[in-house]
């Protein structure tokens, strides 16, 4: 075995090629490409999978988060609490509404919002908490929900990486007041292009978002408010329905691989595998470890044929749109995660031999980069 790709989307598509071809032909043959039967069917199926009453297909994950905030009337003068370390789309959604993203630090063991940090950042201007299930690990929605109810805040899930994640048997998408999903091609449920969705049990919010995504219109040529154009098209909806039918088995396989990783990496010198709460199921969109010598670790794995990536090397608060006035004390753990995180290959079509190859490589590199004392301790 010469090398392991970080992700190989062609394997997943080859398994369902006939279904994808049939879905494509059905949409093309219908002559209907925007807000038709394929979208309605996918929205119903995805809402059922997540355990919510409503799912609204939109153009992408960023639009999903932005439309939730707009749907709740959040805008200039309002604050939304966001994680110190996440993909920048979480922060951009807040800015797109004219509101202010307020950084709260993360927990290093889960990479998600620390409820204690959130509590310290709530002010009279706070309107919502945006909880990201980063890398597919569910945030502490129980503790965050208590804070949200106590202070009268909306609890919004950024579930862009969490298709199939669960807390206490409840799936991501149904853990807060509303959730935004991304269907970017590499996601657990990925389109063949961009796409996104919003899930909620709030009828009024769902109706408003359906209007906002369609130029602010419920009835053609009658526009009740200044909306936008963000609609999941028929073709992507049809293709996603094919993939959704196999999503659960893919999440189960991701958990099987992650369990092997977790078992094999306990106690390895210089690395820290993630921690998952007992009442949680991660979607394992990414398997991310912290490495004390991250750059050396990545270089060694590359030389051994294991492709890795870094998610995300610069926290949002240190990026150009936000660095002015950014208080680094609210990103202490976020900065550590940015400096130490390394994403290993984990995708459901990996063979057992490929999983073993990655494990053996990580173990070998961990020992190689450790101190002489740690090397002796690790020897059989």
């Amino acid at each position: 075995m010469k090398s392991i790709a970080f992700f190989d989307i062609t394997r997943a598509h080859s398994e369902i090629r006939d279904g994808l071809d049939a879905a494509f032909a059905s949409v093309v043959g219908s002559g209907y490409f925007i807000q038709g039967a394929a979208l309605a069917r996918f929205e119903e199926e995805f809402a059922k999978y997540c355990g919510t009453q409503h799912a609204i297909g939109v153009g992408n994950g960023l639009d999903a988060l932005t439309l939730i905030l707009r749907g709740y009337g959040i805008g200039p003068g309002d604050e939304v609490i966001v994680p110190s370390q996440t993909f920048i789309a979480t922060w951009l959604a807040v800015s797109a509404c004219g509101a202010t993203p307020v950084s709260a630090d993360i927990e290093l063991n889960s990479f998600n919002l620390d409820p204690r940090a959130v509590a310290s950042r709530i002010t009279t201007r706070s309107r919502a908490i945006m909880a990201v299930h980063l890398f597919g690990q569910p945030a502490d929605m129980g503790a965050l929900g208590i804070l949200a109810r106590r202070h009268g805040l909306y609890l919004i899930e950024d579930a862009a990486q969490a298709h199939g994640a669960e807390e206490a048997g409840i799936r991501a998408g149904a853990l807060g007041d509303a959730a935004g999903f991304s269907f970017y091609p590499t996601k657990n449920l990925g389109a063949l292009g961009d796409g996104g969705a919003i899930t909620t049990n709030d009828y009024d919010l769902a109706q408003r978002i359906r209007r906002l995504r369609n130029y602010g219109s419920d009835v053609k040529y009658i526009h009740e408010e200044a909306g936008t154009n963000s609609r999941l098209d028929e073709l992507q909806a049809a293709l996603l329905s094919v993939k959704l039918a196999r999503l659960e088995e893919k999440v189960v396989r991701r958990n099987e691989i992650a369990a092997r990783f977790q078992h094999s990496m306990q106690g390895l010198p210089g690395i820290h595998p993630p921690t998952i709460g007992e009442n949680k199921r991660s979607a394992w969109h990414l398997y991310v470890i912290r490495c004390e010598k991250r750059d050396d670790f990545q270089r060694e794995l590359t030389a051994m044929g294991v492709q890795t990536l870094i998610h995300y090397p610069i926290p949002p608060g240190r990026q150009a749109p936000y660095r002015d006035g950014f208080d680094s004390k609210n990103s202490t753990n976020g900065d550590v995660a940015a400096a130490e995180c390394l994403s290993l290959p984990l995708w459901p079509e990996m063979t057992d031999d490929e999983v073993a190859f990655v494990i053996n490589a990580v173990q070998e590199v961990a020992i190689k980069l450790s101190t002489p004392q740690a090397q002796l301790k690790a020897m059989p």
Side-chain angles (χ1 to χ4, degrees):
M1 193 172 298
K2 294 183 178 180
S3 63
I4 306 295
F6 185 77
F7 182 62
D8 184 355
I9 200 170
T10 60
R11 288 194 200 176
H13 288 167
S14 66
E15 294 176 352
I16 54 173
R17 181 61 185 267
D18 290 346
L20 295 175
D21 287 346
F24 179 87
S26 176
V27 172
V28 172
S30 75
Y32 209 101
F33 303 106
I34 302 292
Q35 291 191 272
L39 176 60
R41 181 174 63 252
F42 173 72
E43 289 177 334
E44 181 179 355
E45 292 168 348
F46 192 61
K48 182 178 180 180
Y49 179 82
C50 293
T52 59
Q53 295 178 24
H54 308 282
I56 306 103
V58 296
N60 53 68
L62 174 56
D63 283 359
L65 298 176
T66 303
L67 286 167
I68 292 171
L69 295 171
R70 287 194 62 187
Y72 280 133
I74 294 173
D78 297 329
E79 295 178 347
V80 177
I81 298 173
V82 293
S84 60
Q85 174 64 332
T86 179
F87 183 56
I88 198 171
T90 312
W91 289 48
L92 291 176
V94 180
S95 299
C97 297
T100 301
V102 174
S103 176
D105 214 355
I106 62 168
E107 301 171 326
L108 278 178
N109 62 339
S110 70
F111 305 117
N112 286 325
L113 272 174
D114 183 340
R116 295 167 298 178
V118 172
S120 71
R121 301 293 280 157
I122 295 173
T123 72
T124 57
R125 295 173 60 190
S126 300
R127 291 288 307 283
I129 301 168
M130 187 85 81
V132 181
H133 306 312
L134 197 62
F135 309 140
Q137 332 284 9
D140 190 345
M141 298 299 286
L144 293 173
I146 292 171
L147 279 174
R149 290 189 294 272
R150 181 182 300 159
H151 295 278
L153 308 178
Y154 295 112
L155 180 56
I156 301 167
E157 300 173 70
D158 180 341
Q161 301 180 355
H163 318 70
E166 296 179 1
E167 180 180 78
I170 300 173
R171 284 197 176 137
L175 291 167
D177 296 305
F181 286 87
S182 167
F183 300 132
Y184 187 78
T186 57
K187 295 295 193 289
N188 288 20
L189 180 61
L192 274 69
D194 255 329
I198 295 150
T199 57
T200 185
N201 289 318
D202 185 331
Y203 174 82
D204 291 336
L205 176 68
Q207 290 302 101
R208 188 174 187 208
I209 289 173
R210 291 184 190 279
R211 183 167 61 247
L212 285 169
R213 74 171 175 180
N214 187 43
Y215 301 101
S217 173
D218 291 320
V219 179
K220 193 171 184 178
Y221 299 135
I222 298 175
H223 305 271
E224 299 180 36
E225 56 183 315
T228 188
N229 175 15
S230 182
R231 302 172 299 198
L232 182 66
D233 67 64
E234 286 289 282
L235 182 57
Q236 295 300 344
L239 298 172
L240 283 165
S241 284
V242 175
K243 290 189 167 188
L244 179 59
R246 302 190 67 184
L247 174 59
E248 185 59 20
E249 70 177 82
K250 296 298 185 180
V251 174
V252 169
R253 174 59 176 165
R254 286 177 182 272
N255 272 268
E256 291 173 351
I257 296 171
R260 290 183 62 185
F261 281 176
Q262 292 286 85
H263 177 74
S264 67
M265 295 180 196
Q266 296 299 322
L268 284 181
I271 71 169
H272 306 276
T275 301
I276 307 299
E278 292 183 2
N279 66 335
K280 300 177 188 293
R281 179 178 81 160
S282 176
W284 293 111
H285 170 60
L286 296 170
Y287 187 86
V288 182
I289 60 176
R290 289 193 295 115
C291 306
E292 295 170 11
K293 300 178 180 178
R294 197 261 309 280
D295 293 345
D296 292 337
F297 212 98
Q298 184 176 43
R299 190 179 306 110
E300 292 287 342
L301 286 178
T302 300
M304 296 181 69
V306 176
Q307 184 182 12
T308 61
L309 294 177
I310 297 172
H311 299 86
Y312 301 96
I314 307 173
R318 298 194 179 279
Q319 301 277 0
Y322 299 109
R323 68 168 67 108
D324 289 346
F326 177 68
D327 190 343
S328 60
K329 76 174 184 294
N330 296 308
S331 186
T332 302
N333 287 343
D335 288 340
V336 172
E340 295 184 350
C341 277
L342 185 66
S343 301
L344 303 178
L346 191 161
W347 33 285
E349 295 77 30
M350 290 177 73
T351 66
D352 288 342
D353 286 344
E354 288 171 330
V355 174
F357 186 94
V358 173
I359 289 172
N360 291 336
V362 170
Q363 290 175 333
E364 183 175 328
V365 173
I367 299 302
K368 179 178 181 179
L369 296 179
S370 66
T371 63
Q373 293 80 5
Q375 292 180 28
L376 288 172
K377 184 178 179 181
M379 291 177 63

Short mmCIF file of all heavy atoms in Angstrom, two decimals, residues 134-181:
data_model
loop_
_atom_site.label_atom_id
_atom_site.label_comp_id
_atom_site.label_asym_id
_atom_site.label_seq_id
_atom_site.Cartn_x
_atom_site.Cartn_y
_atom_site.Cartn_z
N LEU A 134 -18.39 21.10 15.75
CA LEU A 134 -17.20 21.11 14.91
C LEU A 134 -16.67 19.69 14.69
O LEU A 134 -16.57 18.89 15.64
CB LEU A 134 -16.12 21.98 15.54
CG LEU A 134 -14.99 22.40 14.60
CD1 LEU A 134 -15.52 23.25 13.45
CD2 LEU A 134 -13.90 23.16 15.34
N PHE A 135 -16.32 19.42 13.46
CA PHE A 135 -15.78 18.14 13.01
C PHE A 135 -16.79 17.00 13.16
O PHE A 135 -16.44 15.83 13.01
CB PHE A 135 -14.49 17.78 13.76
CG PHE A 135 -13.46 18.87 13.77
CD1 PHE A 135 -12.70 19.15 14.90
CD2 PHE A 135 -13.25 19.65 12.63
CE1 PHE A 135 -11.75 20.16 14.91
CE2 PHE A 135 -12.29 20.66 12.63
CZ PHE A 135 -11.54 20.92 13.77
N GLY A 136 -18.04 17.34 13.48
CA GLY A 136 -19.07 16.32 13.67
C GLY A 136 -19.33 15.97 15.12
O GLY A 136 -20.23 15.16 15.41
N GLN A 137 -18.57 16.56 16.06
CA GLN A 137 -18.78 16.30 17.49
C GLN A 137 -19.92 17.19 18.00
O GLN A 137 -19.84 18.41 17.86
CB GLN A 137 -17.52 16.61 18.31
CG GLN A 137 -16.21 16.48 17.59
CD GLN A 137 -15.78 15.03 17.41
OE1 GLN A 137 -16.53 14.13 17.69
NE2 GLN A 137 -14.58 14.83 16.91
N PRO A 138 -20.95 16.64 18.61
CA PRO A 138 -22.03 17.49 19.12
C PRO A 138 -21.54 18.41 20.23
O PRO A 138 -20.79 17.99 21.13
CB PRO A 138 -23.05 16.48 19.69
CG PRO A 138 -22.69 15.17 19.06
CD PRO A 138 -21.20 15.21 18.84
N ALA A 139 -21.92 19.66 20.15
CA ALA A 139 -21.62 20.60 21.22
C ALA A 139 -22.44 20.22 22.46
O ALA A 139 -23.35 19.40 22.39
CB ALA A 139 -21.96 22.02 20.78
N ASP A 140 -22.11 20.83 23.59
CA ASP A 140 -22.83 20.53 24.84
C ASP A 140 -24.16 21.27 24.82
O ASP A 140 -24.34 22.31 25.47
CB ASP A 140 -21.98 20.95 26.04
CG ASP A 140 -22.55 20.45 27.37
OD1 ASP A 140 -23.72 20.02 27.39
OD2 ASP A 140 -21.83 20.50 28.38
N MET A 141 -25.12 20.72 24.08
CA MET A 141 -26.38 21.40 23.88
C MET A 141 -27.23 21.43 25.14
O MET A 141 -28.08 22.31 25.31
CB MET A 141 -27.15 20.76 22.73
CG MET A 141 -26.41 20.85 21.39
SD MET A 141 -26.12 22.55 20.85
CE MET A 141 -27.78 23.01 20.33
N GLY A 142 -27.02 20.48 26.04
CA GLY A 142 -27.76 20.51 27.30
C GLY A 142 -27.41 21.74 28.12
O GLY A 142 -28.28 22.51 28.53
N ALA A 143 -26.11 21.96 28.33
CA ALA A 143 -25.67 23.12 29.11
C ALA A 143 -25.94 24.42 28.38
O ALA A 143 -26.36 25.42 28.99
CB ALA A 143 -24.17 22.99 29.42
N LEU A 144 -25.73 24.43 27.07
CA LEU A 144 -25.98 25.65 26.31
C LEU A 144 -27.47 25.97 26.26
O LEU A 144 -27.87 27.15 26.27
CB LEU A 144 -25.43 25.50 24.89
CG LEU A 144 -23.91 25.40 24.78
CD1 LEU A 144 -23.49 25.09 23.34
CD2 LEU A 144 -23.24 26.70 25.24
N GLY A 145 -28.30 24.94 26.23
CA GLY A 145 -29.74 25.16 26.25
C GLY A 145 -30.21 25.80 27.55
O GLY A 145 -31.09 26.67 27.55
N ILE A 146 -29.62 25.39 28.66
CA ILE A 146 -29.95 25.99 29.96
C ILE A 146 -29.60 27.48 29.95
O ILE A 146 -30.39 28.33 30.38
CB ILE A 146 -29.23 25.26 31.10
CG1 ILE A 146 -29.79 23.85 31.27
CG2 ILE A 146 -29.34 26.04 32.40
CD1 ILE A 146 -29.00 22.98 32.22
N LEU A 147 -28.41 27.80 29.43
CA LEU A 147 -28.00 29.20 29.35
C LEU A 147 -28.93 30.00 28.45
O LEU A 147 -29.34 31.13 28.78
CB LEU A 147 -26.57 29.30 28.80
CG LEU A 147 -25.42 29.06 29.76
CD1 LEU A 147 -24.10 29.06 28.99
CD2 LEU A 147 -25.39 30.13 30.83
N ALA A 148 -29.28 29.42 27.31
CA ALA A 148 -30.14 30.13 26.36
C ALA A 148 -31.51 30.42 26.96
O ALA A 148 -32.02 31.55 26.85
CB ALA A 148 -30.29 29.31 25.08
N ARG A 149 -32.08 29.45 27.63
CA ARG A 149 -33.41 29.66 28.23
C ARG A 149 -33.34 30.66 29.37
O ARG A 149 -34.24 31.49 29.55
CB ARG A 149 -33.96 28.32 28.72
CG ARG A 149 -34.35 27.37 27.58
CD ARG A 149 -35.09 26.15 28.10
NE ARG A 149 -34.24 25.31 28.93
CZ ARG A 149 -33.47 24.33 28.46
NH1 ARG A 149 -33.40 24.11 27.15
NH2 ARG A 149 -32.76 23.59 29.28
N ARG A 150 -32.27 30.60 30.15
CA ARG A 150 -32.14 31.51 31.29
C ARG A 150 -32.07 32.96 30.86
O ARG A 150 -32.60 33.86 31.53
CB ARG A 150 -30.88 31.14 32.09
CG ARG A 150 -30.63 32.00 33.34
CD ARG A 150 -29.34 31.56 34.01
NE ARG A 150 -29.42 30.15 34.41
CZ ARG A 150 -28.35 29.38 34.64
NH1 ARG A 150 -27.13 29.88 34.45
NH2 ARG A 150 -28.49 28.14 35.01
N HIS A 151 -31.44 33.20 29.71
CA HIS A 151 -31.22 34.58 29.25
C HIS A 151 -32.11 34.96 28.07
O HIS A 151 -31.94 36.05 27.51
CB HIS A 151 -29.75 34.77 28.88
CG HIS A 151 -28.81 34.63 30.04
ND1 HIS A 151 -28.55 35.66 30.92
CD2 HIS A 151 -28.09 33.57 30.48
CE1 HIS A 151 -27.69 35.25 31.84
NE2 HIS A 151 -27.39 33.99 31.60
N GLY A 152 -33.05 34.11 27.71
CA GLY A 152 -33.96 34.43 26.62
C GLY A 152 -33.28 34.52 25.27
O GLY A 152 -33.65 35.37 24.44
N LEU A 153 -32.32 33.63 24.99
CA LEU A 153 -31.57 33.65 23.74
C LEU A 153 -32.01 32.50 22.83
O LEU A 153 -32.43 31.45 23.30
CB LEU A 153 -30.07 33.52 24.02
CG LEU A 153 -29.45 34.48 25.03
CD1 LEU A 153 -27.97 34.16 25.21
CD2 LEU A 153 -29.65 35.91 24.60
N TYR A 154 -31.87 32.71 21.54
CA TYR A 154 -32.04 31.62 20.59
C TYR A 154 -30.80 30.74 20.63
O TYR A 154 -29.67 31.24 20.75
CB TYR A 154 -32.24 32.16 19.18
CG TYR A 154 -33.49 32.97 18.99
CD1 TYR A 154 -33.43 34.34 18.74
CD2 TYR A 154 -34.75 32.37 19.04
CE1 TYR A 154 -34.58 35.09 18.56
CE2 TYR A 154 -35.91 33.11 18.86
CZ TYR A 154 -35.82 34.47 18.62
OH TYR A 154 -36.95 35.21 18.45
N LEU A 155 -31.01 29.43 20.51
CA LEU A 155 -29.90 28.49 20.43
C LEU A 155 -29.90 27.89 19.02
O LEU A 155 -30.80 27.13 18.65
CB LEU A 155 -30.03 27.39 21.48
CG LEU A 155 -28.93 26.32 21.49
CD1 LEU A 155 -27.55 26.96 21.65
CD2 LEU A 155 -29.18 25.31 22.60
N ILE A 156 -28.90 28.27 18.24
CA ILE A 156 -28.82 27.91 16.83
C ILE A 156 -27.67 26.93 16.63
O ILE A 156 -26.56 27.14 17.13
CB ILE A 156 -28.61 29.16 15.96
CG1 ILE A 156 -29.79 30.13 16.16
CG2 ILE A 156 -28.46 28.79 14.49
CD1 ILE A 156 -29.53 31.52 15.59
N GLU A 157 -27.93 25.86 15.90
CA GLU A 157 -26.89 24.88 15.59
C GLU A 157 -26.25 25.19 14.24
O GLU A 157 -26.95 25.31 13.24
CB GLU A 157 -27.49 23.47 15.50
CG GLU A 157 -28.16 22.96 16.74
CD GLU A 157 -28.84 21.63 16.45
OE1 GLU A 157 -28.12 20.62 16.26
OE2 GLU A 157 -30.09 21.60 16.41
N ASP A 158 -24.94 25.32 14.23
CA ASP A 158 -24.19 25.24 12.99
C ASP A 158 -23.84 23.78 12.83
O ASP A 158 -22.86 23.28 13.38
CB ASP A 158 -22.94 26.12 13.05
CG ASP A 158 -22.12 26.07 11.76
OD1 ASP A 158 -22.31 25.12 10.97
OD2 ASP A 158 -21.29 26.98 11.54
N ALA A 159 -24.69 23.08 12.08
CA ALA A 159 -24.56 21.63 11.91
C ALA A 159 -23.96 21.28 10.56
O ALA A 159 -24.20 20.18 10.03
CB ALA A 159 -25.93 20.97 12.07
N ALA A 160 -23.16 22.19 10.02
CA ALA A 160 -22.60 22.00 8.67
C ALA A 160 -21.79 20.72 8.56
O ALA A 160 -21.70 20.14 7.47
CB ALA A 160 -21.73 23.20 8.30
N GLN A 161 -21.21 20.24 9.68
CA GLN A 161 -20.36 19.05 9.66
C GLN A 161 -20.97 17.90 10.46
O GLN A 161 -20.28 16.92 10.75
CB GLN A 161 -18.98 19.39 10.21
CG GLN A 161 -18.26 20.49 9.45
CD GLN A 161 -16.88 20.81 10.03
OE1 GLN A 161 -16.49 20.28 11.06
NE2 GLN A 161 -16.15 21.68 9.35
N ALA A 162 -22.25 18.00 10.80
CA ALA A 162 -22.80 17.11 11.82
C ALA A 162 -23.95 16.24 11.36
O ALA A 162 -24.75 15.78 12.18
CB ALA A 162 -23.23 17.94 13.03
N HIS A 163 -24.08 15.96 10.08
CA HIS A 163 -25.16 15.10 9.60
C HIS A 163 -25.06 13.73 10.27
O HIS A 163 -24.12 12.98 10.03
CB HIS A 163 -25.07 14.91 8.09
CG HIS A 163 -24.75 16.16 7.32
ND1 HIS A 163 -23.52 16.77 7.37
CD2 HIS A 163 -25.49 16.89 6.46
CE1 HIS A 163 -23.53 17.83 6.59
NE2 HIS A 163 -24.72 17.92 6.02
N GLY A 164 -26.03 13.41 11.11
CA GLY A 164 -26.03 12.11 11.79
C GLY A 164 -25.49 12.13 13.20
O GLY A 164 -25.53 11.10 13.89
N ALA A 165 -24.99 13.28 13.68
CA ALA A 165 -24.54 13.38 15.07
C ALA A 165 -25.75 13.35 16.00
O ALA A 165 -26.87 13.72 15.62
CB ALA A 165 -23.74 14.66 15.28
N GLU A 166 -25.52 12.92 17.24
CA GLU A 166 -26.62 12.83 18.20
C GLU A 166 -26.16 13.23 19.59
O GLU A 166 -25.00 13.01 19.96
CB GLU A 166 -27.17 11.40 18.27
CG GLU A 166 -27.81 10.89 17.00
CD GLU A 166 -28.31 9.46 17.12
OE1 GLU A 166 -28.17 8.87 18.22
OE2 GLU A 166 -28.84 8.92 16.13
N GLU A 167 -27.09 13.78 20.37
CA GLU A 167 -26.90 13.98 21.81
C GLU A 167 -28.14 13.44 22.50
O GLU A 167 -29.26 13.83 22.17
CB GLU A 167 -26.69 15.45 22.16
CG GLU A 167 -26.49 15.67 23.67
CD GLU A 167 -26.29 17.13 24.04
OE1 GLU A 167 -27.30 17.86 24.10
OE2 GLU A 167 -25.14 17.52 24.26
N ALA A 168 -27.93 12.50 23.43
CA ALA A 168 -29.03 11.89 24.16
C ALA A 168 -30.08 11.31 23.22
O ALA A 168 -31.29 11.37 23.48
CB ALA A 168 -29.66 12.89 25.12
N GLY A 169 -29.63 10.74 22.11
CA GLY A 169 -30.53 10.12 21.16
C GLY A 169 -31.26 11.06 20.23
O GLY A 169 -32.04 10.63 19.38
N ILE A 170 -31.01 12.36 20.36
CA ILE A 170 -31.63 13.36 19.49
C ILE A 170 -30.59 13.80 18.46
O ILE A 170 -29.45 14.11 18.81
CB ILE A 170 -32.12 14.58 20.30
CG1 ILE A 170 -33.15 14.13 21.34
CG2 ILE A 170 -32.72 15.64 19.38
CD1 ILE A 170 -33.56 15.23 22.30
N ARG A 171 -31.01 13.84 17.21
CA ARG A 171 -30.06 14.14 16.15
C ARG A 171 -29.79 15.63 16.01
O ARG A 171 -30.65 16.47 16.30
CB ARG A 171 -30.56 13.58 14.82
CG ARG A 171 -30.39 12.08 14.71
CD ARG A 171 -30.49 11.59 13.30
NE ARG A 171 -30.22 10.16 13.27
CZ ARG A 171 -30.91 9.27 12.57
NH1 ARG A 171 -31.93 9.67 11.82
NH2 ARG A 171 -30.58 8.00 12.60
N ALA A 172 -28.58 15.93 15.54
CA ALA A 172 -28.26 17.30 15.16
C ALA A 172 -29.31 17.78 14.17
O ALA A 172 -29.73 17.04 13.29
CB ALA A 172 -26.86 17.35 14.53
N GLY A 173 -29.70 19.02 14.34
CA GLY A 173 -30.80 19.57 13.55
C GLY A 173 -32.04 19.72 14.38
O GLY A 173 -32.92 20.53 14.06
N ALA A 174 -32.14 18.93 15.48
CA ALA A 174 -33.29 18.99 16.38
C ALA A 174 -32.87 19.31 17.81
O ALA A 174 -33.66 19.20 18.74
CB ALA A 174 -34.04 17.67 16.35
N LEU A 175 -31.61 19.73 17.99
CA LEU A 175 -31.08 19.96 19.34
C LEU A 175 -31.23 21.41 19.79
O LEU A 175 -31.06 21.70 20.98
CB LEU A 175 -29.59 19.58 19.38
CG LEU A 175 -29.30 18.08 19.26
CD1 LEU A 175 -27.81 17.84 18.99
CD2 LEU A 175 -29.74 17.35 20.52
N GLY A 176 -31.52 22.32 18.88
CA GLY A 176 -31.68 23.73 19.22
C GLY A 176 -32.98 24.27 18.65
O GLY A 176 -33.89 23.51 18.29
N ASP A 177 -33.06 25.59 18.56
CA ASP A 177 -34.25 26.21 17.98
C ASP A 177 -34.28 26.08 16.47
O ASP A 177 -35.35 25.99 15.86
CB ASP A 177 -34.30 27.70 18.37
CG ASP A 177 -34.45 27.88 19.88
OD1 ASP A 177 -35.40 27.32 20.43
OD2 ASP A 177 -33.62 28.58 20.48
N ALA A 178 -33.12 26.06 15.85
CA ALA A 178 -32.99 25.90 14.40
C ALA A 178 -31.56 25.49 14.11
O ALA A 178 -30.65 25.72 14.92
CB ALA A 178 -33.34 27.18 13.66
N ALA A 179 -31.36 24.87 12.95
CA ALA A 179 -30.02 24.40 12.58
C ALA A 179 -29.77 24.67 11.11
O ALA A 179 -30.67 24.56 10.28
CB ALA A 179 -29.88 22.90 12.87
N GLY A 180 -28.50 24.99 10.81
CA GLY A 180 -28.07 25.19 9.43
C GLY A 180 -27.13 24.08 9.02
O GLY A 180 -26.16 23.79 9.73
N PHE A 181 -27.41 23.45 7.88
CA PHE A 181 -26.58 22.37 7.34
C PHE A 181 -25.95 22.81 6.02
O PHE A 181 -26.52 23.60 5.27
CB PHE A 181 -27.42 21.12 7.06
CG PHE A 181 -27.83 20.35 8.28
CD1 PHE A 181 -28.99 20.69 8.95
CD2 PHE A 181 -27.08 19.29 8.74
CE1 PHE A 181 -29.40 19.99 10.08
CE2 PHE A 181 -27.47 18.58 9.87
CZ PHE A 181 -28.63 18.93 10.55
#
